[in-house]
Every structure is written in structure tokens, then in C-alpha cells.
Amino acid sequence: MKNLLLFSTLLLTTLGAFAQLTVKPNGASDSYVYVNDQIVYVTQEINLTRNSTLNDTEASIYLRNNGQLIQGGTTSSNSGDGHLSVQQNTPETNAWAYYYWASPVGYSGNLGAPQPAGNPWAGVKNIYEPLGVTAAQQAATTTGRDGTISPMTISTRWLYTFKTPGTEALGNYTRINSGTAVPPGFGFTMKGVGLVTPGPDQVYEFRGRPNSGTFTIPVAAPTGVPVEGQMTLAGNPYPSALDLNKLFYDSPDNDALGTFWYYDEDRTVASHYYTDKPYGYGVYTIGAEDTDGDPYNGNNLGTYVAAPFYIWNSAGNHGGSVATSSNSDLNKRFAPIGQGIMFVGAATGTVKIKNAHRVFFKEDTAGSVFQRPGTNENGEVSTENSPDGILGADSANISADNRTSGMRLWVVFDEAITRDMVLNFSDQATDGYDRGLDGMSPLGLKTDAYFPVGNDNNRLPYVISTINFAANKQVPIAFKLNKTTDIQVYLKEEIKKPYQQAYLFDSQENTYQNLSINGGRPSIINLPAGTYDNRFFIVFRNPNVKKDIPQSELEAKNTVLANVNFFQNNPQHQLEVKNPEGYTIKSAAVYDMSGKLVISEKNLGANNTYSFYTGNLSDGVYLVKLMTADDIAIDYKAIVHNQ
């Protein structure tokens, strides 16, 4: 293969693809590659030689403004003492604020002996303070509790890894101090800088040898009494985005992976003590496998529920009213550069992070959004071609229209602790555990809510549950209380709902409370201390409501047929459907007379009117089939005439 040897400054503003890449000084003159809002793709290894430390262009490769580097192949033999420089920022920070990181580079300096080729370990030595476009200085460290903004000084008291699977209560954290003790692929904790509440956006710069190749992370199955998920602090080890859908469904290598947890906390609290600071883990499930070959079209984004901001302690107490973070459907599929993530095991085994999982995916155009990449519900996805089929997209352009059908619930305990939960509906799901579709609850809180999933002898707590919808199903929702508690259950969000109405059913009292999203009151219950995992259910029929009472199949079909009307409006080139009774339509299909499917829509909801564009159809007779949530089929023959 040809080696590319760069002897002069190269400003890269278009996509670049190289077999191998070598960057080294030309005598006393610096040489570097500057990547601005673009991708560099290298199929094999990279060799970097460090520029003079006296100049502002010490690094060999600069990734700026969403610039990213992707390497192909299955192994890495990157070498040299030169640096790749890439920046990441936290949206708000201060000396008390934890974030979870994963370094995109290893330490390429001299630690008593030159680092071997490949992927050296990382640590605080890889973190720099930006001083300009290319200039930077290595961050200072302190053993004190508080870091400072200028000069950037990082406290080593809060630098930890979590390399052995375990629970938060077990605290399998290992202190890394000021050394390079973080293997590539693993994450680490680090607190911010500056005594401001809340602090400003803070930019960190990572410099070192770029990571490439495969990294193996151990995970373990849920364990304990009560059963809890076990986590390992890993993350995105590359100077490019990481597609978690590709990673999750890389079978059989990653079949042991269950879900992802994201650390979050109330960063406005000016304290280092956990007894003062509300914190917890948000849960992300990857959803169905993306098999259409286009990871940027807005499909298969998965589901995220926010951390409850519960103050962790063994007694389950809390420090008063605590706000829950946003319930937005946040895009977690594409992990940004530097993002640390807890990998939670479905089984005991390993997870392999590979070059094949890397993608060119830009963060929010307003700036990097570390920890919680934002979405824009109104935009359209933009893509662009790049080497070896790597595509580019902007996270701000992901559409919300492709989200999974489901409902989001907020369960509020004593107007203080809020548990965010999601019940999704999918034809691919079962009533039991579905890997990739169900997200296990983090932490073992004394007061909590969850969906018990599994058979009666092995039901585990989940905060994201996905089922195959049926109107007559009863979905258990459990409450675990350490004292007498007022509970409010809010229906906060509905996405392409397949039901007419949802209720909270108390099987002991035989009561049904509406779950209403349009300004309705929450469902309210008061319970003494205890665990209630077989008493309360989310249901979709109320026998006290006439329209919910199941009719005979023939009677029900005749009622629906009498109330749904069709009209083929040829002048307007559309098929019009009137649904005045608001039956929930879960699918609509139009076939030509040869049996070819020409129109297909799912989860249309309970609208009173629908229209389907027919201007692109040939003249002729077409069969229209609607299916309600109660599996009642409605047929109609439409005569299309577009001339």
C-alpha cells in the first residue's frame, strides 16, 4: 500500500480517504492535517511524529467543528509519538459536576520507555486546555477537591474507572490518580472545573495517539436479592461517532449486552457529597435492529428515559423536592466523541467495540452536545457520500416521526421523586424479556416504580418495556415503597398510540383511573410501605365504559363498518377516510388488482379523518384494507382515475 507522507501544512476541507497516513515535520517546519467539519477515512494504520513543543501546531492532526477520523480494518498498529487533537465540551459544568468520559486517544509520550505500537492507555495526561485554534497546554492537576477554569486544573480526587462489572451499591470504582490507568475502550469519571453554579460550557481537548481496532469490555448478568443490573464503565473509544445499534446487534460477539445506562445529576448543587446531590442513571434501549443499510434516515433511534435524580443512599431517603430532567426522546444511538457509557449485561460475557461500528455523525449544529445529543423534531435528515460507504448526518436533523409507538409515564412519589418510564408497542415484541427492546431499571432504590418483566418466578424490574399490543392486555406496573407514600401517575407523552384510552387498574379495589395526557389530572393512589408487583396494571379497556365492553365479533365488525366511510376524491388525487367514532387504526394498506402493495401505513392513531395520496397510481380498481386495534378488518374498493 502507498504511504502518504505530508511535508507541508494541509488544510482539509473536503472528504479524504487514505490507505495509510503518515504525518511528520519537514525538518524544523511543522506538518499537520487540519480537518474542518469533515471526515478523514484511513483503511489501515496511522503514524504520527510530534511537532515542536515550542510552536502552536504541536499536534499532527486537528479535528475541529465536528471533524472526525475513521479507520477501517480489524486491528490497529498506529504508532509514533505525535498527537491527534480533538475537542469536546460539556453543556454545563463546575467543580462539583461529574461527567463520564471515554478517551478517543492514548498517551503517546514517554513514561520511562516509548509506548509500543497500537493503543496505549489514557488518563488525565491526555487532557489539554485549548488556547486557540491549534494552540493548547496540558491541563494542570491538583489533589484538592476543586478544579479551576484558568489555568485549567483538574482534581485527581474524582478520577475513577469501573472496569469490573458490578452494581452502584457495590462501588467497583478504581482510582486512577494522575497516571494513564484507563485501558482503551473503558471509561472514566471526572469532575469539572470552576466554582460557578451552574457553570459555563467547558471545552476540553484530548491529545494523543488515536485509538483504532477492537476493544473488549466485560459485562455480567443481573444478580443479587433483589436482582439488580450489573454495569461496566465503557464508552466511545474513537475520534469519531459510534453507532450503538451496529454495536448492539453485532452477533454473536455482543449478545451478552443488555442495555445502556447514562449518568446524570443535578449539576446546580454546590456540593461534592452524594447526600446532598441528586443523581442517577438514565436508561437507553437500542430498539429494533436497523437493517435498511442507512443509519441516518431517522429510523431505529431507540428509547431513552431520564434519570430520576434520586439521592442514592442505603436507606432510600431523599433530600426534598428534586426535579427530573427532560422527558424528550433524546438521540442516544450515535455516541459522540468522548462519551462514557455504562454497559449493562443481559448475560455474563464480553462486548467488542469495533472499527465497523464507527460512523461519521455530526453533533448539534449549534455546538457539541456532550452527554445528551439533541434532536430537532421538524428537520429532515441530510446525508452525504463518503469513502467505503461511510455516510454523514447531523443529529439536529433527526425526525421524531420515526419514533417507536408507545406511552411515557411519570410516577411521582410524595411530590419529590419522579420515575420516568416508557411502555412501547411493537409487532416484534413479546410479553417477556426482549433484548434490545426492554431496559432494566438502574439502582436498587427503596422507593421506586417499574414494569415487572418475566415469569412469576423470575420477574425483573424494567423502566422501558415493549409488548405486542392487544386491547385486552393487562400490563403490570409495580411500586416498591419504604413508607406510606402518595403516588401520582402521569401520562406525559403518547406516540402513535394503538389504543383508544389507557387506564390504571387496581385489581384489589377493582377501580379504573383514566390516564389522560391532555391536561387531565394524574391517577392518584396512597399506599403503605411494601412491594406491589401484582396488583396494578396498565389496561386499555374499562368495563364501566360502554364503548370499551367487548362485543361479539360480528356485532363489533358491523358497528365499525357502519361508522367508517370512504371516498375516492379523484380531482384532489386522494383517498379520504372518515372515522367519526375515533376507532384506532393500526394499519392501512392499498393493493392493485394483481395483489401488489402500493400504499402501506402503520399506527395511524384515532383521528377522525385520514387521506392517502393516489396521484401516483395508475388508473384502475384498488383494494383498500384498514385494520383496527381490535383486529377488525375494513375493506373498500377504490376506483382511481387520474387523467
Side-chain angles (χ1 to χ4, degrees):
M1 291 290 182
K2 178 181 178 182
N3 285 304
L4 178 67
L5 188 61
L6 300 180
F7 288 110
S8 60
T9 300
L10 173 63
L11 179 65
L12 186 62
T13 57
T14 57
L15 300 180
F18 307 101
Q20 297 172 340
L21 180 61
T22 297
V23 185
K24 67 179 182 180
N26 180 16
S29 300
D30 292 346
S31 295
Y32 62 92
V33 177
Y34 188 90
V35 185
N36 182 44
D37 191 31
Q38 297 294 338
I39 177 180
V40 172
Y41 186 79
V42 182
T43 59
Q44 296 184 47
E45 69 270 12
I46 294 175
N47 178 270
L48 305 178
T49 301
R50 192 172 182 179
N51 288 314
S52 170
T53 58
L54 299 177
N55 301 322
D56 288 343
T57 54
E58 176 188 14
S60 303
I61 301 176
Y62 293 91
L63 303 180
R64 293 293 185 267
N65 302 319
N66 273 314
Q68 297 178 33
L69 168 70
I70 293 180
Q71 289 182 254
T74 58
T75 61
S76 171
S77 56
N78 290 346
S79 59
D81 63 353
H83 289 168
L84 175 139
S85 166
V86 61
Q87 296 178 349
Q88 183 56 279
N89 68 293
T90 54
E92 60 181 29
T93 191
N94 48 50
W96 310 287
Y98 258 132
Y99 281 95
Y100 283 17
W101 296 86
S103 179
V105 298
Y107 186 70
S108 58
N110 193 329
L111 295 176
Q115 291 282 2
N119 298 296
W121 290 21
V124 71
K125 291 180 181 294
N126 293 98
I127 300 175
Y128 283 65
E129 176 185 2
L131 300 177
V133 177
T134 58
Q137 65 182 5
Q138 194 172 44
T141 60
T142 178
T143 57
R145 293 180 176 177
D146 301 327
T148 60
I149 294 177
S150 182
M152 180 186 286
T153 305
I154 296 171
S155 172
T156 59
R157 284 195 178 203
W158 317 112
L159 301 175
Y160 287 87
T161 62
F162 199 108
K163 296 183 292 185
T164 303
T167 66
E168 181 72 19
L170 290 175
N172 291 351
Y173 291 93
T174 302
R175 193 165 179 175
I176 64 177
N177 298 307
S178 59
T180 52
V182 185
F186 288 88
F188 64 95
T189 68
M190 182 174 69
K191 286 195 176 181
V193 295
L195 301 178
V196 182
T197 310
D201 185 274
Q202 181 63 47
V203 179
Y204 298 85
E205 187 166 325
F206 286 85
R207 293 195 175 199
R209 185 185 301 162
N211 290 326
S212 180
T214 299
F215 308 102
T216 302
I217 308 298
V219 294
T223 189
V225 180
V227 175
E228 295 184 65
Q230 297 197 75
M231 57 190 185
T232 309
L233 182 50
N236 179 7
Y238 304 117
S240 65
L242 181 71
D243 187 343
L244 296 182
N245 191 285
K246 288 178 178 286
L247 182 151
F248 190 88
Y249 286 110
D250 189 344
S251 182
D253 284 347
N254 294 342
D255 289 350
L257 181 58
T259 193
F260 303 96
W261 291 350
Y262 284 81
Y263 178 82
D264 209 352
E265 65 176 32
D266 185 349
R267 296 179 176 89
T268 66
V269 177
S271 175
H272 288 297
Y273 296 103
Y274 288 120
T275 52
D276 298 331
K277 183 184 293 293
Y279 81 98
Y281 290 93
V283 179
Y284 174 61
T285 55
I286 204 69
E289 182 177 5
D290 193 346
T291 58
D292 62 10
D294 182 1
Y296 308 107
N297 58 11
N299 294 324
N300 304 92
L301 293 181
T303 301
Y304 180 74
V305 298
F309 281 5
Y310 191 90
I311 300 174
W312 172 265
N313 58 47
S314 59
N317 299 321
H318 63 85
S321 181
V322 176
T324 303
S325 58
S326 170
N327 74 315
S328 300
D329 189 14
L330 304 174
N331 174 30
K332 297 292 186 183
R333 172 174 171 176
F334 302 97
I337 295 171
Q339 179 70 65
I341 310 168
M342 286 292 189
F343 285 11
V344 183
T348 298
T350 60
V351 175
K352 292 184 177 180
I353 309 172
K354 304 175 183 178
N355 280 342
H357 308 146
R358 299 168 73 167
V359 290
F360 178 43
F361 189 87
K362 300 178 184 180
E363 293 186 51
D364 195 304
T365 52
S368 295
V369 183
F370 181 70
Q371 171 74 10
R372 299 184 229 173
T375 62
N376 185 330
E377 297 185 357
N378 300 317
E380 295 181 356
V381 177
S382 64
T383 63
E384 54 187 281
N385 294 323
S386 59
D388 285 24
I390 303 296
L391 298 177
D394 190 330
S395 68
N397 292 327
I398 291 296
S399 171
D401 294 338
N402 294 304
R403 291 179 296 172
T404 302
S405 170
M407 62 164 62
R408 184 180 300 272
L409 300 169
W410 276 8
V411 181
V412 182
F413 300 97
D414 287 336
E415 298 185 347
I417 309 161
T418 302
R419 168 60 76 188
D420 188 14
M421 307 171 67
V422 167
L423 177 64
N424 282 330
F425 309 107
S426 171
D427 293 341
Q428 301 180 38
T430 69
D431 291 344
Y433 171 71
D434 297 295
R435 179 176 175 269
L437 304 182
D438 298 327
M440 193 171 187
S441 176
L443 304 180
L445 301 180
K446 300 297 183 181
T447 295
D448 209 348
Y450 54 89
F451 298 112
V453 176
N455 59 50
D456 289 341
N457 297 322
N458 188 32
R459 298 211 294 181
L460 304 181
Y462 289 80
V463 289
I464 301 173
S465 178
T466 305
I467 64 170
N468 192 332
F469 177 80
N472 60 352
K473 280 191 175 177
Q474 296 185 342
V475 182
I477 180 171
F479 305 108
K480 182 174 64 173
L481 312 173
N482 71 328
K483 62 181 181 64
T484 299
T485 304
D486 286 321
I487 304 171
Q488 300 179 44
V489 182
Y490 291 86
L491 180 56
K492 297 299 295 183
E493 185 178 27
E494 293 177 305
I495 303 169
K496 294 181 288 189
K497 64 176 186 177
Y499 52 84
Q500 303 273 115
Q501 176 66 51
Y503 306 90
L504 178 65
F505 172 50
D506 182 342
S507 63
Q508 178 173 305
E509 300 295 332
N510 196 30
T511 58
Y512 295 79
Q513 296 192 56
N514 283 351
L515 293 171
S516 175
I517 193 171
N518 296 319
R521 293 173 55 83
S523 299
I524 302 174
I525 50 180
N526 179 277
L527 297 171
T531 298
Y532 303 84
D533 63 359
N534 201 30
R535 173 174 167 179
F536 295 94
F537 301 85
I538 305 297
V539 299
F540 310 100
R541 283 178 173 167
N542 181 350
N544 302 314
V545 177
K546 184 177 180 180
K547 69 177 182 179
D548 286 349
I549 300 174
Q551 301 170 294
S552 69
E553 183 176 349
L554 180 59
E555 181 184 0
K557 183 169 184 176
N558 289 336
T559 300
V560 173
L561 291 176
N563 288 289
V564 177
N565 299 299
F566 298 82
F567 174 63
Q568 176 56 40
N569 190 338
N570 283 319
Q572 297 296 321
H573 304 297
Q574 65 183 21
L575 170 66
E576 299 171 356
V577 181
K578 295 190 180 301
N579 179 30
E581 296 299 318
Y583 299 113
T584 300
I585 308 300
K586 70 177 183 179
S587 67
V590 179
Y591 301 87
D592 64 18
M593 295 312 293
S594 69
K596 180 182 177 181
L597 180 66
V598 295
I599 296 176
S600 178
E601 299 285 347
K602 290 186 177 182
N603 297 321
L604 279 76
N607 297 337
N608 294 121
T609 60
Y610 306 95
S611 63
F612 305 93
Y613 180 68
T614 59
N616 59 343
L617 301 181
S618 302
D619 291 358
V621 179
Y622 292 83
L623 176 62
V624 182
K625 296 184 77 69
L626 301 185
M627 187 68 71
T628 72
D630 293 321
D631 292 325
I632 296 175
I634 311 168
D635 297 337
Y636 174 74
K637 285 186 178 180
I639 300 175
V640 175
H641 184 73
N642 287 319
Q643 295 182 355

